[in-house]
Amino acid sequence: MSKNVVYAIVKAGGRQEKVSVGDIVVVDRVSSDAGESVELKPVLLVDGEKVTSDADALAKVTVTAEVVRDEKGPKISIVKYKNKTGYRKRQGHRQQLTRLKVTGIS
């Protein structure tokens, strides 16, 4: 592994994602317009061979990302059925998502 690898594990949308500068990440909907900058909360930072997981040190670290566009996830079909009663229910869902491009880790 290279000595100058810089990446962070950030918490976004209820999940944790591994990001480095230039990566594109799809997370749950962020209430920002396209082109705006958002800040993600880091959980872990790897800078070369130095690994930072201390909460006080991570409070000084900022991971910034630019909103590329809003999207919808794949269609999920939900079907409920009860035998012998004539009960049938169909429902669909598409998750609201946002595509982010990581612009900086400092």
Side-chain angles (χ1 to χ4, degrees):
M1 198 158 131
S2 179
K3 300 269 186 199
N4 56 2
V5 174
V6 178
Y7 66 89
I9 307 294
V10 296
K11 189 167 187 170
R15 294 185 302 272
Q16 293 180 359
E17 301 276 348
K18 177 183 174 182
V19 298
S20 58
V21 176
D23 285 355
I24 294 180
V25 182
V26 178
V27 298
D28 286 343
R29 182 64 56 99
V30 177
S31 61
S32 296
D33 293 328
E36 289 186 11
S37 181
V38 294
E39 190 169 313
L40 303 172
K41 181 180 176 186
V43 177
L44 180 88
L45 176 69
V46 176
D47 187 7
E49 293 189 9
K50 182 181 175 189
V51 178
T52 306
S53 63
D54 182 37
D56 295 333
L58 288 174
K60 301 171 187 169
V61 176
T62 59
V63 177
T64 56
E66 178 185 343
V67 176
V68 178
R69 67 175 179 257
D70 291 332
E71 299 179 350
K72 285 186 178 180
K75 178 88 171 198
I76 297 171
S77 63
I78 302 145
V79 179
K80 296 181 181 181
Y81 173 77
K82 290 197 178 184
N83 196 15
K84 299 179 185 174
T85 61
Y87 174 77
R88 290 186 183 114
K89 184 176 181 182
R90 289 185 64 214
Q91 187 177 2
H93 176 75
R94 291 186 76 181
Q95 185 68 30
Q96 304 291 314
L97 302 172
T98 300
R99 185 174 294 263
L100 301 174
K101 182 175 183 181
V102 179
T103 57
I105 299 174
S106 59

